[in-house]
Amino acid sequence: MKYAKMIGLGLLVAALAATGCSQQSSTPKAEPKKDAGKKDEHPPHGEGPNGGVIFDLGKYHAEFTVDHDKKECTILVVDGENEKAKPLPVAAKEFTLTTKETKTKEGKKVAPMTIKMLPKDESGGKASKFVGTDPGLGNVADFAGTVLGEIDGKPSQGEFKEEEHDDHKHEKK
């Protein structure tokens, strides 16, 4: 009888432990705030001086544009956030631009690209215009991606996104 009580007590403890564990995992956890851990995001920038999208590139602003006929894209470092922004030369040797997969208006898949962006207006070790080419840029699509590089010897990164494709936005003025 003594052993039966001990076995019964052991089974009861095991059952409670198993129930307690399953109750813990089914108890909803407090959800973190949606903005927790995110940087403060400011409103989107305006259209750039060449009709492209302005984005943050480290502590600077830059404009992303595409010339589909040349299969070429340009990153222009600028001193502002809109069409009145002027080129701003910075100490940078190159950038790496990586696009995400996208689709044309007609639904054709455009594969991700990694493009080396080299200075085109270098003077005194500084440049504001960086250009790269890739056959995929011949597709008329809304591109989004990341730009990585060093400005003034410090790592700089930015994310850009063209939105609501409109043919005139993709043509240089």
Side-chain angles (χ1 to χ4, degrees), residues 122-140:
E122 186 175 1
S123 177
K126 292 186 173 189
S128 59
K129 185 178 186 178
F130 297 81
V131 178
T133 61
D134 189 284
L137 293 170
N139 294 291
V140 178

Side-chain angles (χ1 to χ4, degrees), residues 28 76 80 83 86-87 104 119 154 162:
L76 182 66
E83 70 277 352
K86 303 286 183 227
T104 65
K154 296 179 183 173
E162 294 182 298

Side-chain angles (χ1 to χ4, degrees), residues 43-57:
H45 303 296
E47 186 175 294
N50 298 296
V53 59
I54 296 277
F55 65 99
D56 293 325
L57 180 58

Side-chain angles (χ1 to χ4, degrees), residues 34 87 168:
K34 290 186 179 187
H168 76 274

Side-chain angles (χ1 to χ4, degrees), residues 19-30:
T19 302
C21 288
S22 66
Q23 285 179 344
Q24 273 185 329
S25 62
S26 66
T27 303
K29 295 180 181 177

Side-chain angles (χ1 to χ4, degrees), residues 4-171:
K5 285 183 183 180
M6 288 180 76
I7 291 173
L9 182 61
L11 289 172
L12 179 62
V13 169
L16 288 174
T19 302
C21 288
S22 66
Q23 285 179 344
Q24 273 185 329
S25 62
S26 66
T27 303
K29 295 180 181 177
E31 290 187 30
K33 292 180 181 178
K34 290 186 179 187
D35 294 330
K38 280 188 171 183
K39 292 180 185 177
D40 289 337
E41 293 184 27
H42 56 278
H45 303 296
E47 186 175 294
N50 298 296
V53 59
I54 296 277
F55 65 99
D56 293 325
L57 180 58
K59 67 179 187 177
Y60 297 93
H61 290 101
E63 177 188 33
F64 171 79
T65 56
V66 178
D67 184 326
H68 299 290
D69 294 334
K70 291 182 178 179
K71 299 176 181 156
E72 176 180 276
C73 64
T74 302
I75 297 297
L76 182 66
V77 182
V78 293
D79 66 358
E81 304 179 26
N82 58 37
E83 70 277 352
K84 294 179 182 177
K86 303 286 183 227
L88 178 67
V90 295
K93 295 183 190 244
E94 70 179 45
F95 291 107
T96 301
L97 181 139
T98 306
T99 65
K100 298 176 183 178
E101 181 179 299
T102 189
K103 289 184 178 181
T104 65
K105 193 175 185 178
E106 296 77 28
K108 178 183 171 189
K109 180 177 152 183
V110 180
M113 296 170 265
T114 300
I115 304 168
K116 188 176 190 176
M117 308 292 293
L118 298 174
K120 288 296 175 193
D121 62 348
E122 186 175 1
S123 177
K126 292 186 173 189
S128 59
K129 185 178 186 178
F130 297 81
V131 178
T133 61
D134 189 284
L137 293 170
N139 294 291
V140 178
D142 289 331
F143 292 102
T146 305
V147 177
L148 298 170
E150 282 189 7
I151 300 176
D152 298 324
K154 296 179 183 173
S156 295
Q157 177 177 340
E159 292 187 11
F160 65 93
K161 182 178 182 181
E162 294 182 298
E163 293 185 20
E164 298 177 21
H165 181 76
D166 192 357
D167 288 339
H168 76 274
K169 280 187 171 182
H170 292 270
E171 300 302 322

